[in-house]
């Protein structure tokens, strides 16, 4: 069996996290405020907003357990609109392994007290030991893992037959609000934010995307 891993870096477009120029803070705050009127308690607060994403996903199949799983890491550059000790994101049906928050300018790490996922509300809440300050940028780094889904949402698996051989593929479906089933994010239409995706795969596998490849690197 080939054990070499190849990392392919591409850029993808999805509904809740679509590629476009980043609007100025005032415009985005006004849009967010307008959309939040009359919203349910499951909507994200507007105390922080995303500026960019760096996402890494590695799907894999374990023959012994017959499980299709994936590991991931997302680095979210956020801007703080109002002072808060919390970072609230969308997430569903995944296990959070670790969370780190770093103030971008000083490169100082903030202590993270705890974090929790509410799968019913589809919310991940991160509790910092100190406040995130207005007007500053922070990097939120989250390591997570989960099962490849079977309902054609988020990050899911499918199978097909080629020359009598059954093969499997890992696919993404982020519309309309299914990105949260693949990785923690601001999964609401007002947060249209650029991001890059790195996909890990075996050397005998291939990667397809609707955006151009940036580079491929053997690890």
């Amino acid at each position: 069996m080939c054990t070499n891993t190849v990392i392919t870096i591409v850029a993808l477009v999805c509904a809740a996290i679509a590629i476009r120029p980043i609007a100025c803070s005032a415009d985005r705050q006004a849009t967010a405020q307008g959309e939040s009127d009359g919203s349910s308690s499951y909507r994200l607060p507007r105390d922080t907003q995303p500026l960019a994403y760096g996402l890494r996903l590695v799907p894999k199949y374990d023959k012994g357990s017959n499980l299709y799983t994936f590991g991931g890491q997302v680095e979210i550059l956020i801007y703080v609109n109002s002072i808060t000790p919390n970072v609230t994101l969308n997430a569903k049906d995944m296990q959070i392994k670790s969370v780190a928050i770093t103030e971008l300018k000083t490169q100082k790490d903030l202590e993270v007290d705890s974090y929790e996922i509410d799968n019913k509300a589809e919310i991940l809440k991160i509790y910092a030991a100190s406040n995130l300050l207005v007007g500053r940028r922070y990097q939120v780094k989250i390591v997570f893992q989960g099962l490849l889904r079977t309902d054609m949402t988020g990050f899911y698996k499918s199978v097909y037959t080629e020359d009598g051989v059954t093969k499997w593929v890992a696919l993404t479906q982020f519309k309309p609000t299914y990105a949260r089933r693949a990785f923690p994010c601001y999964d609401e239409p007002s947060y249209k934010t650029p991001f890059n995706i790195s996909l890990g795969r075996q050397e005998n596998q291939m990667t397809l995307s609707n955006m151009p490849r940036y580079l491929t690197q053997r690890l």
Side-chain angles (χ1 to χ4, degrees):
M1 178 181 294
C2 177
T3 58
N4 290 334
T5 299
V6 175
I7 297 296
T8 301
I9 300 178
V10 298
L12 299 181
V13 178
C14 71
I17 311 171
I19 300 255
R20 73 167 197 177
I22 298 174
C24 68
S25 298
D27 290 344
R28 294 189 62 175
Q29 283 180 273
T31 301
Q33 181 61 44
E35 293 187 1
S36 66
D37 293 340
S39 63
S40 74
S41 60
Y42 294 162
R43 293 292 296 274
L44 296 177
R46 303 306 179 187
D47 45 16
T48 65
Q49 67 183 57
L51 300 178
Y53 290 86
L55 174 64
R56 302 173 188 174
L57 293 172
V58 182
K60 60 181 179 180
Y61 169 64
D62 183 79
K63 190 173 182 179
S65 61
N66 197 33
L67 288 178
Y68 295 84
T69 64
F70 69 93
Q73 175 182 295
V74 64
E75 297 177 354
I76 313 173
L77 178 62
I78 68 171
Y79 179 85
V80 179
N81 296 314
S82 59
I83 190 168
T84 176
N86 307 323
V87 177
T88 306
L89 306 170
N90 293 114
K92 180 179 173 62
D93 297 337
M94 64 186 67
Q95 182 181 3
I96 305 300
K97 305 296 290 183
S98 66
V99 176
I101 302 175
T102 304
E103 203 276 316
L104 195 65
K105 184 176 181 180
T106 64
Q107 289 297 298
K108 180 180 179 181
D109 294 330
L110 275 67
E111 182 180 351
V112 176
D113 277 343
S114 62
Y115 47 85
E116 59 181 356
I117 285 186
D118 182 339
N119 279 314
K120 180 180 179 181
E122 303 183 355
I123 292 291
L124 166 63
K125 199 139 193 174
I126 302 168
Y127 301 93
S130 57
N131 286 325
L132 281 70
L133 302 180
V134 176
R136 297 194 182 182
R137 294 183 297 168
Y138 295 81
Q139 179 177 271
V140 180
K141 179 180 177 181
I142 305 170
V143 178
F144 56 95
Q145 65 182 29
L147 296 175
L148 287 174
R149 303 180 68 89
T150 58
D151 58 1
M152 301 180 67
T153 67
F155 198 26
Y156 69 97
K157 76 174 180 70
S158 183
V159 297
Y160 67 98
T161 301
E162 184 177 68
D163 298 327
V165 178
T166 300
K167 300 182 179 182
W168 70 278
V169 293
L171 307 161
T172 60
Q173 172 56 275
F174 291 167
K175 295 180 180 181
T177 54
Y178 295 147
R180 67 189 66 182
R181 302 183 181 191
F183 64 101
C185 57
Y186 293 77
D187 194 16
E188 293 183 359
S190 62
Y191 296 118
K192 294 176 170 34
T193 308
F195 69 104
N196 290 325
I197 294 184
S198 304
L199 296 174
R201 60 174 173 81
Q202 299 300 317
E203 197 169 27
N204 62 338
Q205 296 174 328
M206 65 178 179
T207 306
L208 300 176
S209 172
N210 62 349
M211 292 295 285
R213 178 177 60 192
Y214 179 68
L215 65 87
T216 297
Q217 178 179 338
R218 180 177 289 117
L219 299 179

